[in-house]
Amino acid sequence: MEAILAQAKKVAEEAEVFTVLAEETQVRFEANRLKHVQSRQTGRTALRIVKEGKMGYATTTEPGKVRALVDAAVETAQFGMEAKFKFPSSGSYPAVEVFDPDTEAAAAEEMVGLGEELMATVTGHTPDIVCEAGVSKGAMLVRIINSCGGQAEYHKSIFALDIEGSLIRDTDMLFVGDSQSSCHPLRNSGEVAESVLRQLELARDQARVPSGSLPVIFTPRGVAGALIPSLIAGFSGKTVIEGASPLAKNLGRRVFDNRLCLWDDATIAYQIASRPCDDEGVSSQRTLLIDRGVVANFFYDLQTAALAGTRSTGNASRHRGLPAPAPSAFVIDPGDTAFEQMVRDMKEGLVIEQLMGAEQGNILGGDFSGNVLLGYKVENGQIVGRVKDTMVSGNVYQALKQVIAIGSESRLVDGFVRAPHLYCASLAVAAR
Amino acid sequence: MKEIEATGRQLAETIKRYHADYIEARLEQSQATHITYRRRELESVDRTNAVGGNIRALVKGGWGFASFNSFDDLPARIEIAIKQARLVSGPEIKLAPVEPVVDTVPEDAAKNPAAIPLAEKKRLLDEYNDAIWRTPRIQTSLINYGDSRKKVIFLSSSGSYIAQERADIMLRLTAVATDGDDVQQAGLSLGSRGDFTAVQGLHRRVEETARRATELLSTPHLKSGEYTVVLDPVLAGVFAHEAFGHLSESDFVYENQRMREIMTLGRRFGSHQLNIVDGAIVPGLRGSYKYDDEGVPATKTYLIREGKLVGRLHSRETAARMNESLTGNARAIDYRFPPIVRMTNTYIEPGAVSFDDMLSEIKEGVYVRNWYGGTTSMEMFTFSAGEAFMIRNGKVGEQLRPVVLTGNVFTTLDNIDAIGNDLDMNQGGGCGKAGQMPLPVSDGSPHIRIRHCLVGGR
């Protein structure tokens, strides 16, 4: 890394080298039994330079080929965007716990045991269910150095468990599933199993839904799948500086229900989205995005923050190439209403766990529309069964203005969203 | 590209020393360029060089798989893969037999996007961006261009040694228009098998796309409900891919007794006019190749013929398990993943109905064009249209906001009551499955008409 930085400094004003080394192991179950064991070793190095004020970028899996990497970055810098920022110089980082040596030490046999335990609980409840499941562990080392003297380095461990079961009766297919992740090794599968069994219980019967406007309760998974994609687009510093976000002109204005609070938080201990610094070496923080319904802030990396005349919120991600603003973990504060209470309050409506296709529409405008892959009908305060062949459509910005209640318990979904249940007043439902 | 060849030849010898029921390796070397534009200027340009590989081993009932970037100590990687495979106990896995192949499949020298200077790519994209920004009320634009060229060496303990090269180009443009709080977007997606000319000369289409985004600002929402819909070839191709293609992937079926019962060959899914095909052997498309990632020669497979299920897509394992012929559909997006059953070029064969005749019988319906995306749960699927228009009394009427369509594969295919005579292939898509995304595929269809389709508006 140091050799790359030294070489780059000879040809460019500023330079930054980012490396990530990772080892992962996954045991994979197919059709209720263990089928694959996989391991993955990866090593990637990225060089970003600022030459004549413009950014150049190149990545490689062969860090030993310094000259080729520097040349590629120089070639791209001729056409690159003007760099509006300075790389962060050396500083101290918050202590964010994201590494547990026990995760690395977890044996493949233990992981197999965990998966088998989960499979046994689920098939014990519903013998004709066919499940796919995975247990994975991984460890990564991230290092960043730059020509301003900035240096960052951290280890992260990841452990994850996921399951998807399909229950087929004639041509009717029911899909259930859940996942759990942590930087600690998971020692039992109870939480995931319980969630899957609850889904199977609630989906036992089928119920019919009328077309029209209905109140909808989104479960934490429903919130993550249907509502969060639009909020990510809306709060991204990138869409905001372009004026493409519907929220861009609403900073400081109340546009959501006045009980709603949303954070971006990269500092929660042992959560897989956490980290001491972002992918540009900027310290991690908690950023309040929605403060009691008011648009409080947006999330930025160095470049978009400079363009917006503000400071980076530590949200640079190298998910695809050059760093760009991306959420670390979105957290919606819990409210005061238990899920059971929401259901009891409902005369006729839906509970949505999974809305298939919701992320495919005009996300930027907040529109969503999807087929209820897993959801339940509520009649007179009781869940009466699963709904099918039903489409639910709405707009995130309208739906989150007319919130009837916010759930009192929040749940981590896919490691990147922590949300309570959200009870929305009215969405368009089309059923056959 | 010489290095992986030397490693490959050595590895072919090394694996002979290890005991497993079957061992294969893939070594890959790739170069890629990505350029993105946001608003009026180029936002990022980057170049990627990657070298990596994997070892996959089968021992009795289990697969072990180890992927790596570092070529140091490959014997250790072979040992890891074998050890992992031994962890799995279960009924023995059989692989459908395939003749060992020794072959080299070079890419056409003319199709090397890596050889085109960055300056030339930038000039073209500048022109497209200018075309977008000439349109009034455009708030922002996004252009994603990517090209890659890679060489993959596949070798196996059965004696296969195949070196294949392929090039790929993707271009996606999105124009976003705003008006007060309202935000609308329109997109154009294209791709090719490394042929740069396929993304040249699109200035007029880019301008049309930008104009469409602004026009959408003043269009009404459709009322959600059931409609007769007519799909253009692009969207009907996505429909064929989502609604039926995924269900034809045997890895969803082969170990699931109930799925096997549902997907019995001979089952009727649609009318006699309906034929759906998948095939990598169809040349020159983004899903085309000579051998799949298990070294199996590509084929062309009828999935539905005259409305009946007649075939499905296989890997060596699923073909053996279901006692059906190999189709050459085991694909991996890159060396980090094992091959799984995937589509290649999937399309509905053309029929005889003209577009005008298709419309003429519709009193009130929806004409949908262009795509945002699509997804499936096997039984149910959704796909979203970039453009929607009312059909009134046999004529295309006013434009609507984009809509999402959904259906149930067991009823929707049977509701296709007209198949057009104008097959067109869409090369602008990428397919995702099991974390492997976006895999280059193409799909296509003529115009089709579907009765009783659930459409989500507002």
Side-chain angles (χ1 to χ4, degrees), chain B residues 138-396:
Chain B
I138 288 294
Q139 181 66 39
T140 188
S141 66
L142 178 62
I143 299 178
N144 259 308
Y145 167 87
D147 65 45
S148 67
R149 186 175 166 96
K150 73 176 177 183
K151 177 169 188 164
V152 181
I153 292 175
F154 169 86
L155 59 98
S156 76
S157 56
S158 336
S160 281
Y161 192 98
I162 302 168
Q164 293 190 95
E165 280 178 337
R166 68 172 295 144
D168 193 68
I169 295 180
M170 259 302 286
L171 174 65
R172 183 162 180 85
L173 300 101
T174 308
V176 179
T178 54
D179 186 6
D181 287 341
D182 199 4
V183 178
Q184 287 296 319
Q185 51 184 311
L188 174 66
S189 250
L190 288 154
S192 83
R193 187 58 202 272
D195 182 3
F196 193 71
T197 60
V199 296
Q200 290 174 316
L202 302 169
H203 305 74
R204 181 171 292 180
R205 289 182 65 185
V206 173
E207 265 173 55
E208 281 166 12
T209 302
R211 204 159 47 235
R212 209 167 69 228
T214 62
E215 284 165 4
L216 284 176
L217 289 169
S218 51
T219 58
H221 284 276
L222 177 73
K223 190 175 179 306
S224 296
E226 256 186 30
Y227 292 91
T228 295
V229 295
V230 172
L231 276 58
D232 82 329
V234 172
L235 198 57
V238 174
F239 166 77
H241 177 103
E242 295 300 340
F244 197 76
H246 281 294
L247 200 59
S248 304
E249 295 167 345
S250 302
D251 52 348
F252 287 123
V253 180
Y254 78 125
E255 293 201 290
N256 188 328
Q257 196 47 45
R258 296 205 186 236
M259 274 298 265
R260 289 179 75 147
E261 284 160 20
I262 295 170
M263 296 300 286
T264 310
L265 296 185
R267 181 185 182 120
R268 178 161 292 287
F269 274 88
S271 75
H272 286 280
Q273 310 137 37
L274 184 66
N275 296 293
I276 304 182
V277 176
D278 179 276
I281 207 166
V282 182
L285 298 171
R286 287 186 69 227
S288 307
Y289 49 77
K290 191 168 175 187
Y291 304 99
D292 75 0
D293 288 322
E294 292 186 316
V296 177
T299 60
K300 172 178 162 181
T301 308
Y302 271 89
L303 307 176
I304 289 190
R305 195 168 223 161
E306 295 177 353
K308 284 185 184 159
L309 179 69
V310 293
R312 56 182 132 244
L313 309 178
H314 282 298
S315 65
R316 291 183 66 191
E317 181 181 355
T318 63
R321 181 67 189 272
M322 299 186 78
N323 205 13
E324 292 174 9
S325 301
L326 281 168
T327 60
N329 283 82
R331 305 178 67 187
I333 192 162
D334 62 37
Y335 61 90
R336 296 173 300 154
F337 297 93
I340 54 176
V341 181
R342 302 299 292 260
M343 282 174 262
T344 60
N345 307 303
T346 313
Y347 57 96
I348 297 175
E349 285 192 334
V353 184
S354 74
F355 179 55
D356 288 341
D357 286 350
M358 205 177 282
L359 292 179
S360 68
E361 294 159 26
I362 303 173
K363 201 159 170 293
E364 189 191 68
V366 185
Y367 176 41
V368 280
R369 301 200 313 205
N370 223 321
W371 67 282
Y372 270 140
T375 188
T376 181
S377 77
M378 300 298 120
E379 181 193 11
M380 287 186 282
F381 56 84
T382 66
F383 53 106
S384 48
E387 298 169 62
F389 302 84
M390 282 308 294
I391 301 170
R392 295 188 195 281
N393 300 317
K395 296 253 159 33
V396 175

Side-chain angles (χ1 to χ4, degrees), chain A residues 7-52:
Chain A
Q7 180 74 25
K9 279 204 291 202
K10 286 184 197 157
V11 294
E13 299 103 78
E14 304 287 351
E16 169 206 56
V17 186
F18 173 92
T19 66
V20 54
L21 294 172
E23 297 265 358
E24 294 162 74
T25 304
Q26 183 180 48
V27 301
R28 204 76 233 144
F29 293 79
E30 245 182 63
N32 301 342
R33 68 178 186 83
L34 181 64
K35 188 74 182 286
H36 307 265
V37 181
Q38 303 180 358
S39 67
R40 185 187 292 172
Q41 176 272 326
T42 48
R44 279 168 191 279
T45 300
L47 170 65
R48 179 162 57 159
I49 60 168
V50 180
K51 186 173 164 66
E52 286 154 29

Side-chain angles (χ1 to χ4, degrees), chain A residues 11 19 60 78 86 130 148 159 174 184 191 198 223 227 240 270 295 308 324 336 340 356 375 377 389 410:
Chain A
V11 294
T19 66
T60 184
Q78 303 169 62
K86 278 250 172 289
V130 179
C148 295
F159 197 98
L174 167 66
H184 293 305
E191 192 182 324
R198 192 166 51 239
V223 170
L227 309 180
V240 168
Y270 296 106
V295 178
D336 55 8
E340 294 72 22
M356 179 170 69
K377 169 82 184 298
D389 297 317
S410 61

Side-chain angles (χ1 to χ4, degrees), chain A residues 171-230:
Chain A
T171 64
D172 170 52
M173 300 184 195
L174 167 66
F175 295 91
V176 292
D178 210 329
S179 66
Q180 196 183 349
S181 65
S182 173
C183 298
H184 293 305
L186 298 170
R187 299 297 184 194
N188 71 72
S189 58
E191 192 182 324
V192 173
E194 195 185 313
S195 162
V196 171
L197 299 196
R198 192 166 51 239
Q199 293 170 7
L200 285 166
E201 287 293 331
L202 295 176
R204 196 176 287 270
D205 298 313
Q206 284 195 22
R208 292 192 67 84
V209 188
S211 290
S213 283
L214 286 177
V216 170
I217 302 169
F218 287 97
T219 67
R221 274 210 321 159
V223 170
L227 309 180
I228 295 292
S230 280

Side-chain angles (χ1 to χ4, degrees), chain A residues 81 233-245 248 298-301 303-310 325, chain B residues 38-39 43 139-140:
Chain A
M81 201 184 198
F235 280 95
S236 166
K238 200 161 252 187
T239 55
V240 168
I241 54 173
E242 286 165 8
S245 164
F298 304 113
F299 60 84
Y300 294 100
D301 63 355
Q303 175 80 357
T304 55
L307 289 168
T310 182
Chain B
R38 270 211 179 229
R39 292 186 64 82
E43 175 192 52
Q139 181 66 39
T140 188

Side-chain angles (χ1 to χ4, degrees), chain B residues 73-115:
Chain B
D73 202 5
L74 292 184
R77 304 281 169 200
I78 303 173
E79 279 158 32
I80 289 172
I82 293 173
K83 185 173 157 234
Q84 288 174 336
R86 287 193 207 282
L87 262 181
V88 184
S89 59
E92 193 170 333
I93 294 170
K94 289 260 187 312
L95 299 180
V98 57
E99 283 294 315
V101 178
V102 175
D103 199 359
T104 298
V105 189
E107 184 60 280
D108 184 345
K111 293 179 180 173
N112 185 6

Side-chain angles (χ1 to χ4, degrees), chain A residues 30 35 37 39-41 43 59 61 65 75 168 170 173 175 238 242 322 362 367 371 388 432, chain B residues 3 38-39 43-44 47 49 51 63 65 67 69 139-140 183 254 258 262 317 377 379 406 452:
Chain A
E30 245 182 63
K35 188 74 182 286
V37 181
S39 67
R40 185 187 292 172
Q41 176 272 326
T59 66
T61 58
K65 296 189 174 165
E75 186 194 355
I168 302 174
D170 187 26
M173 300 184 195
F175 295 91
K238 200 161 252 187
E242 286 165 8
L322 267 172
N362 174 21
D367 294 335
N371 186 322
K388 278 188 67 176
R432 56 163 34 142
Chain B
E3 297 155 54
R38 270 211 179 229
R39 292 186 64 82
E43 175 192 52
S44 79
R47 293 202 26 203
N49 272 299
V51 176
W63 285 106
F65 178 85
S67 74
N69 284 129
Q139 181 66 39
T140 188
V183 178
Y254 78 125
R258 296 205 186 236
I262 295 170
E317 181 181 355
S377 77
E379 181 193 11
T406 190
H452 310 293

Side-chain angles (χ1 to χ4, degrees), chain A residues 173-415:
Chain A
M173 300 184 195
L174 167 66
F175 295 91
V176 292
D178 210 329
S179 66
Q180 196 183 349
S181 65
S182 173
C183 298
H184 293 305
L186 298 170
R187 299 297 184 194
N188 71 72
S189 58
E191 192 182 324
V192 173
E194 195 185 313
S195 162
V196 171
L197 299 196
R198 192 166 51 239
Q199 293 170 7
L200 285 166
E201 287 293 331
L202 295 176
R204 196 176 287 270
D205 298 313
Q206 284 195 22
R208 292 192 67 84
V209 188
S211 290
S213 283
L214 286 177
V216 170
I217 302 169
F218 287 97
T219 67
R221 274 210 321 159
V223 170
L227 309 180
I228 295 292
S230 280
L231 295 180
I232 291 175
F235 280 95
S236 166
K238 200 161 252 187
T239 55
V240 168
I241 54 173
E242 286 165 8
S245 164
L247 299 175
K249 292 186 217 103
N250 286 317
L251 190 65
R253 294 213 184 112
R254 173 156 291 143
V255 299
F256 299 101
D257 180 274
N258 62 14
R259 289 162 295 173
L260 198 70
C261 290
L262 171 70
W263 301 81
D264 178 80
D265 192 346
T267 66
I268 305 167
Y270 296 106
Q271 213 165 295
I272 61 167
S274 296
R275 55 201 184 194
C277 67
D278 73 356
D279 288 353
E280 292 178 319
V282 174
S283 286
S284 289
Q285 63 178 55
R286 287 182 84 202
T287 308
L288 186 57
L289 301 173
I290 303 175
D291 181 9
R292 287 161 294 173
V294 175
V295 178
N297 207 346
F298 304 113
F299 60 84
Y300 294 100
D301 63 355
L302 287 171
Q303 175 80 357
T304 55
L307 289 168
T310 182
R311 289 180 46 191
S312 168
T313 52
N315 281 90
S317 159
R318 298 188 189 239
H319 191 60
R320 357 179 126 165
L322 267 172
S328 49
F330 264 14
V331 178
I332 298 177
D333 283 348
D336 55 8
T337 312
F339 171 60
E340 294 72 22
Q341 225 174 313
M342 292 178 180
V343 173
R344 271 201 303 278
D345 175 71
M346 206 180 235
K347 190 161 184 316
E348 185 176 41
L350 293 176
V351 175
I352 292 178
E353 183 96 42
Q354 222 178 327
L355 197 59
M356 179 170 69
E359 71 296 344
Q360 288 166 12
N362 174 21
I363 286 180
L364 207 47
D367 294 335
F368 64 91
S369 188
N371 186 322
V372 182
L373 187 58
L374 185 61
Y376 319 107
K377 169 82 184 298
V378 177
E379 284 174 19
N380 301 315
Q382 297 228 309
I383 291 179
V384 294
R386 167 198 178 205
V387 299
K388 278 188 67 176
D389 297 317
T390 303
M391 195 152 202
V392 173
S393 312
N395 181 283
V396 169
Y397 298 107
Q398 282 173 16
L400 294 182
K401 226 178 263 168
Q402 299 154 356
V403 175
I404 297 175
I406 298 174
S408 52
E409 274 180 52
S410 61
R411 217 186 142 224
L412 182 66
V413 183
D414 295 335

